[in-house]
Amino acid sequence: MKVAIVNYGMGNLHSVLHSVQAANQLQQKPAEIILTAEPDEVYAADKIIFPGQGAMPDCMSALLQSGLAEALTDGLRRKPFFGICVGAQLLFEFSEEGDTAGLGWFQGTVLRFQSTLGADGRPLKIPHMGWNRVHQTQNHPLFAGVAQNEWFYFVHSYYLLPHDSSIVMGKADYGNDFACIVGRDNVFATQFHTEKSHMAGLQLLSNFLRWDGTL
């Protein structure tokens, strides 16, 4: 089995690679893990991990210029697919960040956090940065061994707003509830950084490496 981590030049992708390699060591049948910027290698992979960091306009531009956008869309149709952070936001139709069109796999938008107050009455900082609990709203194979209301690590100024609530798999609270895990069929995506989320993130990635893309 070959797993492609998509490299479109944004963020520290080697931390994702190291995290996936660590999860791979836990498998009875380890996969071949590659970090690639080549569309042909993404087409040929059995599974796709789509991470991201940085501004969504730059990320989307890089995907379109490299031919990776088409390879990703092909993978979304038929392969186990894991999106992380901006890699989750890019699956939606539109983002307020730079008024950017995404891949449009999920209906919905990506909105900027508005200034709001925390439980202590003090303004919450933007970006949302640090550890936050995630409440699983549906059962999913990737949640095996992951506790309800587990802590995960976030760094983001924009959040997911799906049109269809049935794709929301998990929520977090930052002034208000927001969707932080979305999924449908063979596609699963998180707003938080699995590679920075210690054992909980490792468990999600390990589950993904075993997942056949069915629910």
Side-chain angles (χ1 to χ4, degrees):
M1 182 180 69
K2 179 179 289 187
V3 179
I5 302 172
V6 180
N7 176 8
Y8 50 105
M10 302 292 157
N12 181 15
L13 297 179
H14 288 283
S15 64
V16 177
L17 174 62
H18 294 156
S19 186
V20 175
Q21 289 173 333
N24 195 38
Q25 292 176 359
L26 303 177
Q27 308 306 309
Q28 290 184 344
K29 295 182 179 180
E32 179 186 357
I33 310 296
I34 61 170
L35 178 63
T36 181
E38 298 299 325
D40 287 348
E41 291 192 312
V42 177
Y43 279 114
D46 301 296
K47 297 184 178 185
I48 297 172
I49 297 176
F50 181 36
Q53 250 179 294
M56 186 159 164
D58 295 336
C59 295
M60 195 64 204
S61 176
L63 290 177
L64 293 170
Q65 292 177 14
S66 65
L68 285 167
E70 292 84 354
L72 287 169
T73 300
D74 176 76
L76 285 163
R77 295 190 186 104
R78 59 193 182 89
K79 300 175 183 179
F81 190 106
F82 196 134
I84 302 171
C85 195
V86 176
Q89 295 180 1
L90 283 162
L91 300 180
F92 284 81
E93 296 172 297
F94 177 81
S95 174
E96 285 188 338
E97 187 176 17
D99 294 333
T100 305
L103 294 173
W105 188 254
F106 293 135
Q107 289 186 320
T109 55
V110 179
L111 303 179
R112 181 173 173 80
F113 279 116
Q114 300 300 310
S115 296
T116 188
L117 301 180
D120 60 1
R122 301 172 67 179
L124 295 173
K125 295 180 180 180
I126 301 171
H128 170 213
M129 182 181 300
W131 294 91
N132 206 333
R133 291 188 184 274
V134 171
H135 183 77
Q136 302 163 21
T137 58
Q138 299 189 49
N139 293 324
H140 195 282
L142 267 64
F143 292 148
V146 179
Q148 180 64 284
N149 299 317
E150 182 61 271
W151 294 90
F152 289 91
Y153 192 83
F154 291 80
V155 183
H156 63 128
S157 299
Y158 295 80
Y159 66 95
L160 313 173
L161 185 64
H163 287 177
D164 182 359
S165 62
S166 71
I167 73 168
V168 178
M169 300 287 168
K171 291 184 176 182
D173 182 278
Y174 197 63
N176 296 290
D177 283 347
F178 66 93
C180 64
I181 306 176
V182 292
R184 184 177 61 211
D185 300 329
N186 57 300
V187 179
F188 185 92
T190 69
Q191 179 61 71
F192 52 82
H193 287 269
T194 54
E195 76 280 8
K196 297 179 180 180
S197 296
H198 297 172
M199 292 306 298
L202 194 66
Q203 184 67 52
L204 276 181
L205 292 172
S206 182
N207 291 342
F208 175 73
L209 294 176
R210 290 192 294 270
W211 187 40
D212 64 2
T214 61
L215 301 179

